[in-house]
Amino acid sequence: MFSHALRRPATARTSQRCFSASSRRSADANVLCFIETKVTDKSDMVPGTLNAITAAKKIGGKVTGILIGKDEASMQPAIDKAKKLGLDSLLVRYAPALEHVLAEPTAPVLAELVKKGGYTHFAGPHSALGKNIFPRVAGLLDVQQISDVMSISAPDTFTRPVYAGNAISTVRSKDAIKLFTVRASTWEPAQEGDKEAPVDVKEAENVGPEQATWISEEIVKSERPDLSSAPIVVSGGRGVKSKDAFDSTIIPLADALGAAIGASRAAVDSGYADNSLQVGQTGKVIAPELYVAVGISGAIQHLAGMKDSKTIVAINKDPDAPIFQVADVGLVADLFEAVPDLVKKIEAAKQ
Amino acid sequence: MRPTPPSWLKLLVPVKRTVDYAVKIRVGPKGVETKGVKHSMNPFDEIAIEEAVRLREKDKKAIEKITVVSIGPAKASEVLRTALAMGADEAIHIETAEDDVVEPLAVARTLKEIVGREQPDIVIMGKQAIDDDSSQVGGMLAGMLSWPQANFASKVDLDVAAKTVTVSREIDGGLETLKMSLPAVITTDLRLNQPRYASLPNIMKAKKKPLQKLKPSDLGADFAPRLESVNVEAPPARQGGAKVESVDEVVSKMKEAGVL
């Protein structure tokens, strides 16, 4: 979300200061942005990367993408996509040790690039991978990272959530290099265009030691829309009571709406849903068009993950559940009666 | 008494005193109000201590010592006592002034000094603090030490003889399993374990366990903030609370929202 008003000189004094600061420095801004590919499909970007590119462009200078992988051939599909994302240039660095983008070999490569390339900013998604690698780069560069950036009002001024999103903090960085991760849900994703960025492919320099050995990964396969980018999400909580009930109520409702499935921590801990589906401070933070919370009371940590959704629908039998304080549409009802009825009526409405 | 075999491992667990997770925080003119608000140990750090204690319970001979460390104002020592009551052996408190802001980078640099003094084989800590939500210290420290890291651990298997640790870590979409040689840094995710409550006898015993106090200057720590706080405000409030009577109304609201 761009607040162009902040950059116009005719607004309030504080804004004017932001403007002069940004106009003074943005001409020199030189942003490197980490491009993360999906674990399941290395030819595609994770959605959060596209949002990070938008945030990187907001800084106002040149934006260079950096793609990391095992070798050029395996990265070619990702290169073809990444170069069309409106970047000024695209760096591709490869080495066998970088296959799984583990922190130990990768962080020194990135730190070296940032230093040698004269970058003023290093951006990336606030994904599990971004959260794993960026702090290590920050440690190597002796820079105070800024996590989960929601907005940028000047090249050195960033806004981010603290206390599970219950307060919004604006900070000005005094570091020479601004290293930050980007909250996906508050930025529009960068779109593919016709223009192609020049691509610079090289073997990676300064690859770190392979101290950790990658053993395996278990990825939950799903035909559904991806939770972090789906426009509609249906989530179940403790009130669903069992895994069978979760499957027989939440899944049909998600099918009817073409929605991704989410879950509260209570539902995950009770084994009703996989933990990759957890919405909340410690799971995924999402902001879909429609969020349907079924049998979820609305604990602070869950609200932190979904309260920026455009429309929130809550179905809960407890009229005092805190979820009703944020819901646009609240229905006090037994979910085992209301949800099947809702599925029927949604199917009917679609015809 | 036999001398300590060299294969015994030392664990270091950094902990943070934060506003209690159940408190609904208030944002005042000077930021989040923390005075007179209930504080407790950061929940992810409780999980880290629990894991350290469980590793020792699994193999009593494996772990020589569990040291907890906290950087914070005088009251942070209460959190260290809790950690000692949960089963840690000794504590280090680096005492800061009441209003000092210690950023993750400064914490990581200070912990690096502590690691130099204590020579732990594993540093295990929470994946993030629930106040600043940065999720940085573990990775920063691992980078500074050039140690391997496993962030967001949901399972930890220690092989004492081989001096390796196998960690399952939560990634977007599933799990990844890594094997690391020691020394290493591990950060804990929620699902790693269920922390125990400290029993009353253990709380009493914890009062007698050693708690060493250090000043930031003893460690040459530089806490000068790199980030200047410009503003802290409450998020825009949602216009929620509208209840409907029937499923039909839910459907018509969905139509209004344009999703049907």
Side-chain angles (χ1 to χ4, degrees), chain A residues 39-74:
Chain A
V39 177
T40 43
D41 177 7
K42 293 276 183 197
S43 68
D44 203 4
M45 316 295 141
V46 300
T49 287
L50 306 178
N51 311 67
I53 291 173
T54 303
K57 288 179 186 168
K58 170 74 176 165
I59 303 288
K62 215 178 92 175
V63 181
T64 303
I66 168 71
L67 199 49
I68 294 277
K70 178 177 67 164
D71 52 40
E72 192 178 353
S74 66

Side-chain angles (χ1 to χ4, degrees), chain B residues 16 23 50 56 75 129 180-181 191 193 211 218 222 237:
Chain B
K16 185 176 188 182
V23 169
E50 178 65 32
R56 173 154 64 191
K75 281 185 174 164
M180 307 186 289
S181 54
R191 277 161 222 87
N193 60 47
L211 193 155
D218 296 334
D222 169 18

Side-chain angles (χ1 to χ4, degrees), chain B residues 28-213:
Chain B
K30 286 183 174 172
V32 175
E33 287 174 19
T34 55
K35 298 249 159 68
V37 173
K38 188 190 175 198
H39 282 64
S40 50
M41 193 192 302
N42 179 42
F44 295 104
D45 302 345
E46 283 188 351
I47 294 170
I49 294 170
E50 178 65 32
E51 195 63 21
V53 174
R54 284 189 193 190
L55 286 174
R56 173 154 64 191
E57 284 170 351
K58 226 180 271 174
D59 183 355
K60 281 195 169 46
K61 287 182 296 229
I63 311 291
E64 180 190 340
K65 192 167 75 164
I66 300 169
T67 306
V68 286
V69 54
S70 191
I71 304 168
K75 281 185 174 164
S77 61
E78 292 168 10
V79 165
L80 288 170
R81 290 286 174 206
T82 305
L84 293 171
M86 286 175 73
D89 303 304
E90 53 181 59
I92 302 171
H93 181 190
I94 298 142
E95 194 171 333
T96 62
E98 187 64 40
D99 295 318
D100 271 2
V101 176
V102 189
E103 293 173 345
L105 182 71
V107 172
R109 290 163 99 188
T110 308
L111 290 178
K112 187 187 168 200
E113 293 300 317
I114 295 290
V115 166
R117 289 181 170 213
E118 297 293 317
Q119 301 287 319
D121 300 277
I122 302 174
V123 178
I124 180 163
M125 67 173 96
K127 73 163 181 178
Q128 77 187 67
I130 60 162
D131 48 7
D132 69 8
D133 288 336
S134 288
S135 196
Q136 294 171 0
V137 176
M140 284 176 167
L141 177 65
M144 288 172 182
L145 293 166
S146 293
W147 286 9
Q149 68 183 64
N151 280 352
F152 322 135
S154 57
K155 192 163 179 269
V156 174
D157 280 317
L158 184 60
D159 184 337
V160 181
K163 286 214 169 190
T164 59
V165 61
T166 305
V167 180
S168 293
R169 49 182 301 264
E170 301 201 358
I171 57 171
D172 291 333
L175 284 177
E176 177 181 75
T177 304
L178 301 176
K179 188 174 178 181
M180 307 186 289
S181 54
L182 302 182
V185 176
I186 297 170
T187 76
T188 60
D189 214 322
L190 269 177
R191 277 161 222 87
L192 182 57
N193 60 47
Q194 188 72 44
R196 70 194 63 194
Y197 290 104
S199 66
L200 187 60
N202 285 342
I203 292 171
M204 300 312 287
K205 272 185 225 159
K207 291 185 177 171
K208 295 195 177 115
K209 289 183 180 175
L211 193 155
Q212 185 189 359
K213 291 220 182 231

Side-chain angles (χ1 to χ4, degrees), chain A residues 104 170 175 211 278 309 330, chain B residues 146 149 191 226 231 238 244:
Chain A
E104 298 82 7
T170 303
D175 278 317
Q211 295 167 309
Q278 185 184 318
S309 306
Chain B
S146 293
Q149 68 183 64
R191 277 161 222 87
R226 304 285 185 87
N231 183 32
R238 272 194 86 90
V244 295

Side-chain angles (χ1 to χ4, degrees), chain A:
Chain A
M1 261 171 259
F2 287 43
S3 51
H4 291 291
L6 281 172
R7 309 188 116 218
R8 266 181 234 133
T11 45
R13 272 190 67 180
T14 48
S15 308
Q16 204 162 355
R17 211 167 54 209
C18 286
F19 171 79
S20 56
S22 71
S23 63
R24 190 173 64 236
R25 291 181 204 138
S26 63
D28 310 323
N30 189 8
V31 188
L32 188 67
C33 184
F34 184 77
I35 311 282
E36 180 186 348
T37 53
K38 286 181 183 164
V39 177
T40 43
D41 177 7
K42 293 276 183 197
S43 68
D44 203 4
M45 316 295 141
V46 300
T49 287
L50 306 178
N51 311 67
I53 291 173
T54 303
K57 288 179 186 168
K58 170 74 176 165
I59 303 288
K62 215 178 92 175
V63 181
T64 303
I66 168 71
L67 199 49
I68 294 277
K70 178 177 67 164
D71 52 40
E72 192 178 353
S74 66
M75 296 163 80
Q76 199 55 51
I79 297 171
D80 291 339
K81 276 194 185 157
K83 69 184 178 191
K84 292 189 193 138
L85 292 170
L87 299 162
D88 295 297
S89 60
L90 177 65
L91 306 181
V92 179
R93 294 292 179 267
Y94 60 87
L98 300 173
E99 180 176 5
H100 298 290
V101 203
L102 295 184
E104 298 82 7
T106 308
V109 173
L110 296 170
E112 180 88 346
L113 272 175
V114 170
K115 264 191 284 187
K116 278 200 178 159
Y119 295 100
T120 56
H121 294 74
F122 182 40
H126 193 64
S127 57
L129 193 128
K131 283 188 262 188
N132 192 38
I133 290 180
F134 271 64
R136 195 169 176 108
V137 179
L140 296 175
L141 292 173
D142 192 36
V143 163
Q144 177 52 56
Q145 177 187 333
I146 304 146
S147 295
D148 211 11
V149 167
M150 298 169 76
S151 67
I152 299 170
S153 56
D156 60 355
T157 310
F158 304 83
T159 297
R160 59 178 301 266
V162 293
Y163 289 91
N166 290 300
I168 308 296
S169 161
T170 303
V171 292
R172 185 175 295 137
S173 169
K174 293 183 258 189
D175 278 317
I177 298 162
K178 278 79 173 162
L179 196 144
F180 63 101
T181 56
V182 173
R183 167 169 279 209
S185 61
T186 55
W187 299 87
E188 294 294 324
Q191 302 293 329
E192 262 187 44
D194 297 331
K195 209 186 85 180
E196 290 197 357
V199 185
D200 165 25
V201 185
K202 273 199 198 103
E203 200 170 325
E205 277 177 44
N206 204 30
V207 178
E210 287 183 79
Q211 295 167 309
T213 314
W214 185 92
I215 305 283
S216 64
E217 68 198 0
E218 294 165 51
I219 301 298
V220 181
K221 292 235 167 66
S222 168
E223 300 294 314
R224 296 188 174 282
D226 179 60
L227 177 58
S228 12
S229 57
I232 305 176
V233 173
V234 176
S235 265
R238 197 196 301 273
V240 178
K241 292 205 175 86
S242 71
K243 167 116 178 63
D244 287 346
F246 192 96
D247 293 349
S248 63
T249 54
I250 304 299
I251 293 178
L253 180 56
D255 287 340
L257 288 165
I261 291 179
S264 71
R265 188 186 159 198
V268 169
D269 284 351
S270 308
Y272 307 167
D274 188 81
N275 63 31
S276 63
L277 301 183
Q278 185 184 318
V279 174
Q281 186 191 11
T282 52
K284 295 235 165 56
V285 176
I286 56 173
E289 294 287 308
L290 174 67
Y291 187 84
V292 186
V294 180
I296 292 176
S297 64
I300 297 174
Q301 92 88 26
H302 185 75
L303 298 183
M306 45 63 83
K307 67 180 164 48
D308 295 327
S309 306
K310 198 154 170 229
T311 303
I312 297 173
V313 174
I315 301 172
N316 202 304
K317 67 179 176 190
D318 174 9
D320 299 322
I323 190 79
F324 288 124
Q325 289 164 22
V326 299
D328 303 283
V329 183
L331 178 66
V332 180
D334 182 348
L335 70 96
F336 296 107
E337 287 165 23
V339 172
D341 194 18
L342 182 59
V343 172
K344 249 182 261 164
K345 284 173 173 156
I346 289 169
E347 300 285 5
K350 281 201 291 195
Q351 285 170 12

